[in-house]
Amino acid sequence: MSRVFAGARPTGKLHIGNYLGAIQNFVALQQEHQCVYCIVDIHALTTLDETSMLQDNIRDMLLDWLAAGLDPQKSILFVQSHVPQVMELHTLLSMVTPLSWLLRVPSFKEKARMQPQNVNYGLVGYPVLMTSDIVLYKGELVPVGEDQIPHLELAREIVRRFNSIFGPVFPEPKPQLSEAPMVLGIDGQQKMSKSLNNHIEIAATPVETKKRAMMMVTDPQRIYRHQPGRPEVCNVYRMHQFFSPNDVQRVYHECTHATIGCVQDKEFLGEQINKYFAPFRQRRQEISTQPHYAADVLADGARRASVIAQETLREVKEKMGLLTRNTR
């Protein structure tokens, strides 16, 4: 049975793009693999100017994970900083990672442009910490979309370099490609993102969900109600394929024959999203009312993750000559 590792930055409550693009896949993978899922709070510090909401965001993310179906009995769920061996491994791997490799990473250049006032060391070393996250638990599979494969390939390069210098320790992590759709935001132009405020939270109230759905951009050329629409360019229609699979053909016909207007279409989509996430929202509410459950899940996850981390780090130190061979 292969071990899966995945991490997510704690940015608060998850949105539809997170759910369709990653969480559904996380839930499915735990049925056939050993899964380690980490809330990467240290990674979040590379772009945060202040941390007053960090703990709330961690709790919100965990509640969403649990409500969506991640099972702490099947998977290890924990917070990155609760297993401090990852920072030590990050330091050790940084000794074998050429600076040139890190400076060529497109995401570093992009982040540096976005936050020129805070181009910190952690931003440069982000891929090394990401690699440490994966290999500390000897992750063999990493669920990613195709756009993330270059980042994983850098992790594989770091692993190959370490293994060639000190001897085999880490498996080369392979991408577990998901058929994750590109979920556009309510603007219909850019990927759904909380930072762009074009998202719909899966834990939102029915009223909030419907309000956000009514803000969605439809076919820009359809100005009047009697004009036929073009579903193929309409983000609302795209969403119907996820949330209204039994009504897609009807919606297509009514849109192209102008028997339904964009307002009606968006109202229907809002209703379908609410219907889809109703069980999730009920589970989330039930979990959130249990005072210590979330903290207990994270504590147990950190304990289980630490067992793996301690053994991996011992092996790394032995290989690097930092410990006497077979020292326990």
Side-chain angles (χ1 to χ4, degrees), residues 120-134:
N120 54 72
Y121 167 77
L123 205 61
V124 181
Y126 193 108
V128 185
L129 182 56
M130 184 191 77
T131 303
S132 302
D133 286 325
I134 299 167

Side-chain angles (χ1 to χ4, degrees), residues 311-326:
E311 176 58 25
T312 301
L313 195 58
R314 181 201 61 77
E315 188 177 357
V316 168
K317 287 182 173 182
E318 278 191 1
K319 292 284 188 178
M320 296 183 79
L322 298 173
L323 289 178
T324 303
R325 297 286 180 176
N326 299 319

